[in-house]
Amino acid sequence: MMQTRTQVGIVGAGPAGLMLGHLLHLRGIDSFIIENRSEEHVVERVRAGVLEQSTVDLMHEVGLGGRLAAHGMRHEGLYLAFGGARHRIPMAELTGGRAITIYGQNEVVRDLIAARTGTGRPLRFEVEEAGVRDLASLTPSIRFRSGGRLHEVACDFIAGCDGSHGICRPSMPADRVHVYERTYPFAWLGVLVDAAPSSDELVYSLHDRGFALFSMRSPHVTRLYLQCEPDEDIARWPDDRIWAELTTRLQTSDGWAPRAGPITQKSITRMRSVVVEPMDHGRLFLAGDAAHIVPPTGAKGLNLAMADVWRLARALEAFYRSGDETLLREYSGRALQRAWRAQRFSWWMTSALHRAAADNDFDYRRQLADLEYLVSSRAAMTSLAENYVGTPME
Ligand code: FAD
Ligand code: PHB
């Protein structure tokens, strides 16, 4: 067996694991990152697109704001569409200038991998049989197989950044962990389209046929989603059916509609809310989707992952600087506070904008009344705006 040592072993090279590795590097703390998928898969997979103000600020603070500044699309408002009309929420005006930036998660990951590679610190893709051991001791370790050989990395701490299907959370003793969960009776069918976005800002739509969302990735690429059945078979959605449904659900009476073009990617995402409490066990700390999953309607998942690792890096820095474990002990409680706030918001956005099979016409009219109120009240719009653009990390 090949044996190595590091300060922080990181399982998972998604946004959480890679950003944690970079934050630790900037503080002179060594880490070893392992990832079970290939580099190409991690970079290419199509996921989030909305960065909160604090995530944008963090990318700049850690010296990775160059491509984001050049290619990110800052949005100071968003639209809610219902009853055939679009209503703009002026987010920046309502939040003292905070905004969101459209920049694909895969671009964030690309920037973080380039930074990691530049440091020369270890980042291993395509590892197999990863496992974590001795979590309650002062010397936890990670084992994995790579290049046909078994490896063991002795660590001071392990960061479980391995997403919703990882191995770290299941390694915590079941009787010490409580998992809060809710599944939603629908999913999202998402498409990437080679077409210039026909709106400068996102459009979230409630239609009596269900939810639809207009988003984008660049001045040439539109990203669209529509609510579908949770067990939907993507084969039942040829392109013309997707366009008919998207157009019906999104078009407004002022003549606006998404611009059509070739669909280059299609996928279905089921929707759930999950929170794992606590987010630590001994010297294992969970971060990102490994600890909590939000339905994508609030665009919070990636941003929560970034807030977790910002907090964790600060706590590890305090430990290595002075041996003080206070921030490490506070990590789970503080991170959960933010996670529950994001859960509440994401659940609310989801409930406000989707039609559930169990709902009747009363529920639909109530949803419309809710949205009518929202767009007519500065207080209600401010509440939406401040949650959507996100609060500072602290
Ligand atoms: P992940 O990105 O899942 O990374 C975990 C990594 O760990 C993966 O690379 C995985 O391969 C690896 N791994 C797993 N098991 C192992 C193992 N055993 N050994 C080694 N490595 C392992 N969020 C937003 O903020 N805004 C949005 O607009 C948004 N839109 C979304 C749209 C869709 C369609 C989807 C699916 C998600 C969206 N999200 C959004 C959520 C966001 O993508 C996630 O919250 C984010 O990826 C979390 O990052 P993470 O690093 O915690 O986990
Ligand atoms: C996206 O662009 O992928 C996106 C935007 C807003 C969301 C979710 C996803 O709420």
Side-chain angles (χ1 to χ4, degrees):
M1 187 183 322
M2 303 276 289
Q3 296 194 317
T4 343
R5 231 206 92 67
T6 189
Q7 290 173 296
V8 182
I10 300 177
V11 184
L18 290 165
M19 179 57 94
L20 179 62
H22 191 59
L23 288 165
L24 294 176
H25 164 74
L26 294 175
R27 290 160 171 79
I29 300 169
D30 190 32
S31 63
F32 194 117
I33 308 180
I34 61 162
E35 164 61 49
N36 62 354
R37 309 301 298 258
S38 68
E39 176 171 355
E40 192 189 12
H41 177 87
V42 168
V43 172
E44 296 301 330
R45 79 188 148 195
V46 180
R47 286 209 173 164
V50 174
L51 306 190
E52 287 180 0
Q53 184 70 56
S54 57
T55 302
V56 171
D57 295 345
L58 181 65
M59 288 289 284
H60 284 288
E61 275 161 37
V62 300
L64 300 180
R67 289 177 68 244
L68 171 60
H71 304 294
M73 303 161 91
R74 180 179 156 93
H75 287 190
E76 301 202 334
L78 62 74
Y79 291 96
L80 292 180
F82 55 93
R86 274 190 302 163
H87 306 262
R88 185 170 186 270
I89 312 284
M91 293 186 297
E93 190 191 310
L94 295 166
T95 59
R98 294 173 74 77
I100 55 139
T101 297
I102 298 291
Y103 188 64
Q105 176 168 328
N106 55 319
E107 301 301 335
V108 174
V109 166
R110 202 189 299 274
D111 292 339
L112 286 165
I113 290 177
R116 180 72 180 184
T117 307
T119 68
R121 296 192 194 267
L123 166 57
R124 291 284 180 89
F125 289 98
E126 297 182 69
V127 308
E128 294 167 355
E129 301 167 29
V132 291
R133 314 155 61 95
D134 303 326
L135 301 174
S137 77
L138 295 182
T139 52
S141 62
I142 298 178
R143 279 194 186 176
F144 58 94
R145 189 176 290 284
S146 171
R149 300 189 69 165
L150 208 56
H151 295 251
E152 182 174 65
V153 185
C155 312
D156 298 333
F157 298 95
I158 294 177
C161 301
D162 48 350
S164 52
H165 302 292
I167 48 118
C168 289
R169 191 228 295 187
S171 307
M172 295 163 76
D175 61 346
R176 294 281 314 275
V177 181
H178 192 98
V179 180
Y180 297 87
E181 182 161 13
R182 167 190 252 284
T183 52
Y184 297 86
F186 31 76
W188 278 15
L189 192 165
V191 293
L192 268 184
V193 178
D194 270 344
S198 58
S199 161
D200 289 343
E201 293 171 340
L202 272 54
V203 183
Y204 285 82
S205 175
L206 171 67
H207 189 272
D208 70 359
R209 297 181 60 81
F211 170 77
L213 169 60
F214 169 93
S215 180
M216 64 198 72
R217 283 293 176 276
S218 74
H220 315 288
V221 176
T222 300
R223 175 80 168 143
L224 296 152
Y225 297 96
L226 57 87
Q227 175 187 347
C228 61
E229 297 300 319
D231 52 359
E232 192 69 71
D233 175 5
I234 205 155
R236 298 197 325 119
W237 285 89
D239 293 3
D240 51 356
R241 181 175 176 209
I242 293 176
W243 282 117
E245 203 58 43
L246 281 169
T247 309
T248 303
R249 294 188 197 182
L250 282 166
Q251 72 188 353
T252 43
S253 49
D254 58 1
W256 182 80
R259 184 178 289 122
I263 292 179
T264 57
Q265 194 264 0
K266 275 185 213 180
S267 59
I268 289 184
T269 309
R270 299 188 85 155
M271 294 175 66
R272 18 181 221 149
S273 296
V274 178
V275 180
V276 178
E277 292 200 7
M279 285 170 58
D280 61 346
H281 171 66
R283 287 205 154 191
L284 169 71
F285 294 86
L286 301 180
D289 277 18
H292 36 66
I293 300 164
V294 285
T297 328
K300 290 281 164 249
L302 166 62
N303 297 295
L304 265 186
M306 292 299 196
D308 282 352
V309 296
W310 170 84
R311 190 176 301 286
L312 184 55
R314 199 176 59 152
L316 289 166
E317 178 186 21
F319 173 83
Y320 281 112
R321 201 177 345 98
S322 62
D324 185 351
E325 295 193 22
T326 312
L327 292 180
L328 280 172
R329 279 199 302 271
E330 288 175 359
Y331 168 75
S332 173
R334 291 272 169 87
L336 283 166
Q337 220 171 10
R338 191 179 184 94
W340 275 112
R341 183 176 171 148
Q343 288 291 0
R344 184 210 68 82
F345 177 66
S346 304
W347 166 85
W348 172 77
M349 283 276 280
T350 303
S351 314
L353 293 166
H354 290 70
R355 297 214 61 196
D359 288 356
N360 62 18
D361 288 350
F362 172 86
D363 295 295
Y364 183 49
R365 294 301 293 267
R366 176 185 49 74
Q367 284 175 300
L368 292 175
D370 197 24
L371 295 172
E372 281 292 354
Y373 164 67
L374 178 63
V375 300
S376 64
S377 157
R378 193 171 170 90
M381 280 194 286
T382 304
S383 168
L384 167 68
E386 69 186 14
N387 280 284
Y388 195 81
V389 300
T391 46
M393 300 258 175
E394 184 52 270

